[in-house]
Amino acid sequence: MIALLDYGAGNVRSVINAIESLGERVDIVSGRDDITSAEKLVFPGVGNFGSMMRMLEQKGYVEPLKAYLHSGRPFLGICLGLQALFEKSEEAPGQQGLGLIPGIVKRFEVDLSVPHIGWNGLNAKQPSCLFSGLEGDEKFYFVHSYHVAPEDRSVILTTTNYGYEFVSSVQKGNVIATQFHPEKSGNAGRCILENFLRLGGEKATPRLVSKRTKLAKRIIACLDVRSNDQGDLVVTKGDRYDVREKGEVRNLGRPVDLARRYYQEGADEITFLNITGFRDFPLEDMPMLEVLRRTSENVFVPLTIGGGIRDYTDKDGRTYTALEVASEYFRSGADKVSIGSDAVLIVEDYLKTGRRTGRSSIEEISRVYGNQAVVISIDPRRVYVSSPEGVKHHVIETGFPGPDGERYCWYECTIKGGREGRDVDAVTLAGVCEKLGAGEILLNCIDRDGTNSGFDIELINAVKSAVSIPVIASSGAGCAEHFLEVFTKTDAESVLAAGIFHRGEVPIGRVKDYLKGKVEIRL
Ligand code: 1PR
């Protein structure tokens, strides 16, 4: 029996599912005594160091946790569950950590996007039974802006490179903790979890030792989901956001089945977009939550969900905050939420007043769950202009002139699934959202969506150069070469595609085979 410490933030469901898929039972800690009597304790953490420690203090968990950590019984900390073991963190100055390991938690100071999101490798620094069955060249899923810096180097189990070498896992006796998420790292992650569950086995050293690990470019499969006219929840796909063909909503399959298939085929992440979320309220749209719950049972890569993340008042006058909606998604198995329409309205407000309210969905969700949990989904379309003069938006010179030969354009943000254009451009929107706490940009493009004609490289470069958070390039994939084009002509960290995967035109495996040796990917 595994005791799982859930302090109320983040996706513990995935950890439970991953452990249970290995045949072990999980009991969620519901009081101090459960920590004291645990035989094996797993502590997954996400979000902000300060709010995590405050929640542990409020629940009275700090002292029993410290006692447990000194007891010699097995402990696995994940992500913030690793950082909690240290004395303090730059993320929350003045806030004490558990202090088992002398040292501090530092913010990444690199000339690269932060958070460090995606699949990266491990350099084993000492033998451990945790490595049994691993070759050494596997990649694991990371998502964090801070990393630990132990004073005593003997606790370092692995390091990873991102700009510089940082400590990606530690071991001190039976206390093991990883910065990466084994529960989100496919088979390699499950192998680590299994080794922890059977702690005490032979120590192993991975056969392959890489001197310098590399972050992989991610391939994301996207499932646009909505009810069709018969009331079934289906994966659909638009052509420039029009999902109907001869009047009917295109039906390309069932969401849970397709997500499983893409996971097995090697997708690095799965994104679900509830594309009618702007009119249906997601907490009444339970099937979407059910899709997440069922998918997370056996899909062990990160899951993002978007659609309808905003404040909402139902017909009985009950108000739900965007944070409550997001929390329900996280509890159901999501690792990140993506905010579309609401982000545009928030940015409009910010541009009008020049002030942050502290109450917007972006700010509230990132405060509790961390920046890395908040993706902004932008649905822009080109607006051509003959000259940049007098245009108040971010204008680019384009190599693809407009219908009247216009050599300039800007990218108008839209809401409600492209139905309504707004007076904000995509470059400005991305920059403001980063300031408000977003951790990643999902950059769609209505002009290219569903066309198979390749990505809008100009759009991706314009947005990427305005932010320091990762950008997911989306819309227009038609062949494997289009993925390579994004990765060689832009600095986007990942590419998202839908139609070519749903229609079976180019399976994920073929995209990866083509990219192999040309760009760093997870195989
Ligand atoms: O506004 O917060 O409720 O979120 C709604 C979400 O639903 C937004 O993320 C928005 O992008 C999405 N959405 C709304 N309507 C549509 C539609 O298609 N009618 N889908 C829609 C957006 C775009 C991508 C697509 C890529 C790749 N779909 O997700 O998967 O363009 O497609 P391709 O590879 O086939 O070219 P809110």
Side-chain angles (χ1 to χ4, degrees), residues 449-504:
D449 173 66
T451 62
N452 286 21
S453 61
F455 295 83
D456 189 330
I457 300 293
E458 295 174 338
L459 167 65
I460 300 163
N461 277 328
V463 169
K464 183 68 196 159
S465 61
V467 293
S468 61
I469 52 179
V471 169
I472 303 166
S474 164
S475 304
C479 56
E481 288 81 352
H482 288 155
F483 291 75
L484 183 63
E485 187 183 23
V486 173
F487 290 138
T488 47
K489 293 190 179 165
T490 82
D491 289 327
E493 281 79 3
S494 51
V495 164
L496 174 147
I500 56 166
F501 299 149
H502 303 334
R503 295 186 295 268

Side-chain angles (χ1 to χ4, degrees), residues 222 224 237 241 243 273-275 277-278 307-308 339-341 377 379 417 444 449-450 474-477 496-499:
C222 182
D224 289 355
K237 185 66 218 64
Y241 284 36
V243 298
L273 296 176
N274 175 358
I275 67 168
F278 67 88
I339 304 175
S341 304
S377 170
D379 299 317
N444 302 300
D449 173 66
S474 164
S475 304
L496 174 147

Side-chain angles (χ1 to χ4, degrees), residues 9-14 46 289 292 303 305 322-338 365 368-370 372-374:
N11 177 7
V12 293
R13 177 169 289 271
S14 301
V46 294
L289 297 172
L292 268 177
L303 303 177
I305 175 102
L323 179 60
E324 286 174 300
V325 180
S327 300
E328 198 55 44
Y329 277 144
F330 290 127
R331 272 193 289 275
S332 304
D335 300 283
K336 309 187 236 182
V337 293
S338 115
I365 299 170
V368 178
Y369 292 97
Q372 81 295 330
V374 180

Side-chain angles (χ1 to χ4, degrees), residues 112-288:
L112 296 164
S113 297
V114 176
H116 167 224
I117 299 185
W119 298 78
N120 206 331
L122 306 179
N123 292 306
K125 294 293 178 186
Q126 52 176 298
S128 166
C129 53
L130 215 61
F131 298 138
S132 173
L134 293 180
E135 285 289 304
D137 59 351
E138 295 84 357
K139 290 197 188 283
F140 296 83
Y141 187 73
F142 288 82
V143 49
H144 59 127
S145 301
Y146 295 81
H147 63 85
V148 298
E151 281 169 15
D152 171 9
R153 298 194 64 79
S154 72
V155 300
I156 300 174
L157 190 56
T158 63
T159 62
T160 295
N161 296 86
Y162 189 62
Y164 49 77
E165 188 179 14
F166 70 93
V167 174
S168 49
S169 65
V170 299
Q171 179 160 13
K172 186 172 180 178
N174 277 342
V175 174
I176 297 174
T178 65
Q179 184 59 66
F180 55 91
H181 289 261
E183 79 284 7
K184 287 283 147 192
S185 299
N187 287 335
R190 292 178 75 234
C191 181
I192 293 255
L193 282 176
E194 193 165 22
N195 291 337
F196 171 74
L197 299 179
R198 300 213 189 104
L199 208 62
E202 287 259 311
K203 284 189 180 177
T205 308
R207 196 172 58 84
L208 304 168
V209 181
S210 68
K211 287 212 175 57
R212 207 172 164 275
T213 68
K214 284 191 183 146
L215 180 67
K217 298 287 187 181
R218 283 169 285 154
I219 308 296
I220 302 175
C222 182
L223 286 74
D224 289 355
V225 179
R226 62 160 291 168
S227 295
N228 67 7
D229 300 313
Q230 289 72 46
D232 305 318
L233 204 64
V234 297
V235 173
T236 188
K237 185 66 218 64
D239 178 0
R240 294 191 176 94
Y241 284 36
D242 180 2
V243 298
R244 288 181 184 271
E245 194 169 0
K246 297 186 188 128
E248 295 271 313
V249 172
R250 286 190 193 93
N251 178 352
L252 293 161
R254 290 201 295 232
V256 179
D257 298 346
L258 277 185
R260 273 188 203 146
R261 193 179 103 202
Y262 296 147
Y263 167 62
Q264 281 155 5
E265 289 178 359
D268 297 316
E269 244 175 272
I270 309 279
T271 294
F272 294 101
L273 296 176
N274 175 358
I275 67 168
T276 51
F278 67 88
R279 48 175 187 248
D280 310 326
F281 179 54
L283 294 191
E284 283 167 3
D285 192 6
M286 296 315 273
M288 216 46 211

